Amino acid sequence: MKKRISILLCCFLSTSLLMGCSANSSNKTSDNIVKTENDKGKVTWWTWSTEAATALNQQVEYVEANTDLDVNLQLTATADYWVKLPVSIAAGTGPDVYQMTRPDFESYAASGQTMDLTNIVEKSSMLQEYLDKLDPVIVETYQYNGKQMAIPITIECSAIAYNKDIMDAAGINLKEIEDTWTWEDLKNIAEQLTIKNDKNETVQYGFYVPADRLPMWEILWSAGYEIFDETGEKCLLDNPGVAKALQPLADMYQTGVSPSTEVTTSSSGDDMFMSGKIAMVAAGVWKVPTYTNITSFKWDVVELPLDPTTGERKCSSNVLGLIINPNTKNLDAAITLIEQLVQPECQKLYADSNSAIPALESERSSYFDKQVPENIEAFENALSYIHPNVLSQYIPYQQYSQLQNETLKQGLNGEMTMEAMLQNLCNEINKVVDENKAKYNN
């Protein structure tokens, strides 16, 4: 495990520290581009291979039909993308425009791998109009040191998916309590729905507790806590209140209300939910196409529970953004590409293809205009209380995620108390942060 983390860190830092570029080229604007009938503006756009491929290709068609751009869209497998991208930028090459996930953003911005778009936005009426229509939370999440470094394009949200047949048999109507239920209520219901055989083996689980960010981040954020301080220099997970907020997850895991990681190694949490063995799961909206294949029982979703103390709901959201490579030699074409991709017609293509939720609220209706799940409004309502997946500029997301998930298992399975586990996790994260901060500042 430590070896894998070390490799990831070395790969990222070696490319980051090679960066000698800056965002000063942002004084160029799309007004400077020279277009002729036989000389198209060539521009390269990188992203990873996802279910959004259809929408992305349709967007390319739209851009090329409405401009003189020649767009080279390159889709790369996710794992390869995050290795290839920083290496290419460090070498002074790479795409003109590339797609970014929110948890990775700080690391790229801090290492000079993003162009400052502030002046570009100020000089582009199309980008200004677009950003003015977005939720300020979405816009500001791609700002670094007060500068706009990326343009948000899609957002995510989550809810609680549940087996309606199991609920009906138990006489529980989650829709009736949706407006007021808390994480403590979820735990109590999950315990009620858990069934064990004569050997005390769980044959029906009430809720799935994964060693992952969902629903861990939802719970700690709704309780009023953050993962890092505002500077990104200190992990805050060692706050005793975080352990208290997350304790119900450990309780469910240790009492067999949730399948263990050993159980889900052979059959994933999704597979177990889809086969009727788990009553409830925290599900991202991206799971809907998969769950639509369920035919053996009825299923639906409800909004995430409230924190029992703060009365707040928070939904983690991986806001995706578009970034201009600071090394681009096709700046005007890159700006024009982004200006076109944020147009309502392009945003709507995400919703129409059911591949992503547009950042532009006016173009989301076709995404939520579905019959399954019946209460799809739960996802739509969650967009009003999203919390972007903000981490630290001093630790790559892949490394943070591995540290968190491996350490979290020790608290969930009772090997350590939740408070001790979170203290250890904080110490490990802060150690990496301190080391990387020193390297960035040299």
Side-chain angles (χ1 to χ4, degrees):
M1 165 50 70
K2 291 183 178 178
K3 183 177 181 181
R4 293 205 308 271
I5 292 173
S6 176
I7 291 172
L8 277 170
L9 176 60
C10 289
C11 177
F12 189 88
L13 286 179
S14 62
T15 55
S16 300
L17 295 173
L18 284 171
M19 293 299 298
C21 56
S22 70
N24 293 334
S25 56
S26 61
N27 58 350
K28 298 181 182 179
T29 72
S30 55
D31 297 332
N32 305 126
I33 192 167
V34 177
K35 303 173 185 175
T36 66
E37 185 176 350
N38 299 316
D39 184 22
K40 287 189 174 184
K42 294 184 180 295
V43 62
T44 301
W45 172 22
W46 281 11
T47 183
W48 51 91
S49 301
T50 67
E51 63 276 6
T54 298
L56 295 172
N57 283 299
Q58 290 173 339
Q59 288 177 333
V60 169
E61 293 176 3
Y62 173 88
V63 173
E64 292 184 337
N66 288 277
T67 70
D68 288 332
L69 293 185
D70 180 6
V71 182
N72 178 12
L73 172 64
Q74 295 186 18
L75 297 173
T76 305
T78 303
D80 295 335
Y81 182 86
W82 295 109
V83 173
K84 180 180 177 182
L85 180 62
V87 171
S88 66
I89 297 176
T93 58
D96 299 301
V97 174
Y98 64 92
Q99 193 155 298
M100 175 56 54
T101 64
R102 185 55 192 79
D104 288 290
F105 168 62
E106 278 88 3
S107 294
Y108 278 76
S111 58
Q113 295 177 312
T114 61
M115 178 178 285
D116 180 3
L117 305 181
T118 306
N119 290 338
I120 290 173
V121 171
E122 290 176 354
K123 296 177 181 180
S124 170
S125 59
M126 297 172 77
L127 292 178
Q128 282 188 43
E129 181 181 0
Y130 172 73
L131 294 179
D132 286 345
K133 292 179 179 179
L134 301 187
D135 183 335
V137 172
I138 298 175
V139 177
E140 293 168 6
T141 197
Y142 272 115
Q143 293 176 357
Y144 184 75
N145 290 338
K147 299 177 180 180
Q148 194 72 41
M149 308 300 285
I151 305 299
I153 51 169
T154 64
I155 56 178
E156 293 177 350
C157 58
S158 55
I160 300 297
Y162 65 95
N163 185 316
K164 198 170 185 300
D165 289 357
I166 291 177
M167 293 294 171
D168 290 346
I172 299 172
N173 189 331
L174 290 185
K175 192 68 180 68
E176 286 185 352
I177 63 173
E178 181 180 31
D179 292 340
T180 58
W181 81 322
T182 67
W183 288 104
E184 188 64 29
D185 293 329
L186 181 147
K187 176 189 172 186
N188 292 337
I189 292 171
E191 291 173 346
Q192 181 180 341
L193 297 175
T194 299
I195 299 175
K196 297 188 178 185
N197 60 21
D198 294 339
K199 298 179 181 180
N200 201 36
E201 298 170 333
T202 305
V203 294
Q204 177 178 291
Y205 298 93
F207 184 65
Y208 176 44
V209 179
D212 204 346
R213 70 171 178 85
L214 181 67
M216 175 185 176
W217 291 3
E218 275 73 7
I219 293 174
L220 71 90
W221 281 335
S222 66
Y225 301 102
E226 294 292 336
I227 300 174
F228 288 94
D229 66 9
E230 292 183 356
T231 68
E233 298 178 1
K234 183 180 180 182
C235 178
L236 303 176
L237 293 175
D238 57 353
N239 187 310
V242 176
K244 181 179 179 181
L246 297 178
Q247 186 60 45
L249 295 181
D251 293 341
M252 286 188 284
Y253 190 99
Q254 292 170 29
T255 57
V257 172
S258 166
S260 66
T261 54
E262 288 74 17
V263 171
T264 54
T265 296
S266 57
S267 181
S268 72
D270 279 340
D271 290 340
M272 294 184 69
F273 174 69
M274 294 178 69
S275 63
K277 296 178 180 179
I278 300 177
M280 295 182 288
V281 294
V285 69
W286 57 91
K287 295 291 186 181
V288 171
T290 300
Y291 292 171
T292 301
N293 296 319
I294 296 173
T295 58
S296 59
F297 61 87
K298 294 180 180 179
W299 68 281
D300 206 348
V301 295
V302 289
E303 289 189 58
L304 294 166
L306 300 159
D307 180 83
T309 301
T310 67
E312 297 288 331
R313 283 187 172 105
K314 291 296 179 183
C315 172
S316 63
S317 183
N318 184 16
V319 181
L320 299 187
L322 293 174
I323 290 176
I324 295 180
N325 183 346
N327 301 322
T328 181
K329 296 177 176 60
N330 304 302
L331 178 60
D332 296 327
I335 296 170
T336 302
L337 172 62
I338 294 180
E339 287 177 332
Q340 293 298 313
L341 293 176
V342 300
Q343 293 307 298
E345 295 86 349
C346 269
Q347 281 274 292
K348 189 173 185 295
L349 291 172
Y350 286 119
D352 289 348
S353 63
N354 196 34
S355 58
I357 302 174
L360 193 60
E361 184 175 0
S362 63
E363 305 307 319
R364 296 173 188 166
S365 60
S366 61
Y367 189 93
F368 295 105
D369 186 19
K370 300 182 181 69
Q371 299 301 314
V372 178
E374 181 179 349
N375 187 34
I376 196 169
E377 293 86 358
F379 284 118
E380 190 171 12
N381 292 341
L383 297 176
S384 66
Y385 48 83
I386 62 170
H387 186 304
N389 297 349
V390 179
L391 294 177
S392 166
Q393 65 269 39
Y394 298 115
I395 181 168
Y397 173 55
Q398 288 80 3
Q399 185 180 16
Y400 172 88
S401 183
Q402 286 186 343
L403 280 172
Q404 172 196 272
N405 296 350
E406 287 299 318
T407 309
L408 181 59
K409 292 177 186 176
Q410 297 174 313
L412 292 178
N413 64 21
E415 183 179 337
M416 303 175 69
T417 65
M418 290 295 282
E419 190 166 353
M421 177 275 293
L422 289 167
Q423 182 64 66
N424 280 4
L425 176 59
C426 241
N427 291 342
E428 289 297 315
I429 291 174
N430 283 331
K431 180 180 178 181
V432 174
V433 166
D434 290 343
E435 291 173 352
N436 291 353
K437 181 182 175 183
K439 293 176 182 178
Y440 283 153
N441 293 337
N442 286 339

